[in-house]
């Protein structure tokens, strides 16, 4: 894996590529991250992330590969990618969508284990009643991402 770090409105953000896909993201700088991507895929991932953070990109096209996770976690991560930009679902709603309505807490664990946050948008999953609970990157980052997407979605709806 090759890690690249970029500055973003939520602080340093690292992205890992393996030559064929994005296989990890991380809030902060990863120890061996470089400041400039070394291949076309890394450049595409960094460009898409910068565009997303600027409010110009509402859907990632970079290929993603998640090399680990239980079947349940993979189902949750797949469901995350189906949540439309600017919208949210609750942990309970996601649990029902993956076929286990009583597994809201397990959905939270899967969110915490998401190896590709932002691109696989775990920030779009909220607590019952829309409460902002838990986020591996910190609630301040979750709020920033949700506010960014809400603002951009509203601008698109009204333009």
């Amino acid at each position: 894996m090759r890690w690249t770090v970029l500055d973003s409105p939520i602080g340093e953000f690292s992205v890992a590529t393996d030559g064929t896909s994005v296989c990890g993201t991380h809030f902060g700088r990863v120890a061996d991250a470089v400041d400039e991507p070394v291949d076309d895929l890394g450049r595409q991932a960094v460009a898409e992330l910068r565009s997303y953070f600027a409010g110009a990109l509402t859907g990632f096209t970079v290929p993603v590969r998640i090399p680990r996770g239980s079947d349940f976690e993979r189902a949750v991560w797949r469901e995350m990618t189906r949540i439309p930009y600017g919208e949210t679902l609750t942990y309970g709603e996601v649990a029902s969508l993956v076929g286990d309505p009583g597994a809201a807490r397990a959905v939270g664990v899967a969110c915490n284990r998401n190896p590709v946050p932002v691109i696989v948008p775990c920030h779009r999953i909220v607590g019952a009643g829309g409460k902002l609970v838990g986020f591996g990157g910190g609630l301040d980052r979750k709020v920033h991402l949700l506010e960014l997407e809400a603002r951009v979605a509203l601008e698109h709806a009204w333009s």
Side-chain angles (χ1 to χ4, degrees), residues 74-144:
R74 288 176 171 282
V76 170
W77 299 333
R78 255 189 316 277
E79 206 55 52
M80 285 177 194
T81 65
R82 295 181 180 130
I83 302 171
Y85 182 93
E87 296 182 22
T88 60
L89 290 177
T90 66
Y91 295 100
E93 289 170 326
V94 172
S96 292
L97 288 169
V98 299
D100 194 348
R105 287 184 186 200
V107 168
V109 171
C111 287
N112 190 42
R113 292 181 180 164
N114 174 13
V116 194
V118 177
I119 294 175
V120 176
C122 51
H123 59 277
R124 295 181 189 157
I125 302 179
V126 297
K131 286 187 177 182
L132 296 179
V133 293
F135 187 61
L139 285 180
D140 56 331
R141 288 184 174 125
K142 183 171 188 161
V143 168
H144 181 89

Side-chain angles (χ1 to χ4, degrees), residues 6 8-10 13 27 44-61 84-87 117-124 135 141-152:
L6 61 136
S8 80
I10 59 172
F13 191 76
F27 297 102
Q44 178 188 356
V46 167
E48 286 191 14
L49 283 161
R50 285 187 175 135
S51 186
Y52 169 83
F53 288 125
L57 180 79
T58 60
F60 291 95
T61 62
Y85 182 93
E87 296 182 22
V118 177
I119 294 175
V120 176
C122 51
H123 59 277
R124 295 181 189 157
F135 187 61
R141 288 184 174 125
K142 183 171 188 161
V143 168
H144 181 89
L145 295 171
L146 291 174
E147 287 177 347
L148 166 70
E149 290 188 9
R151 177 183 55 79
V152 170

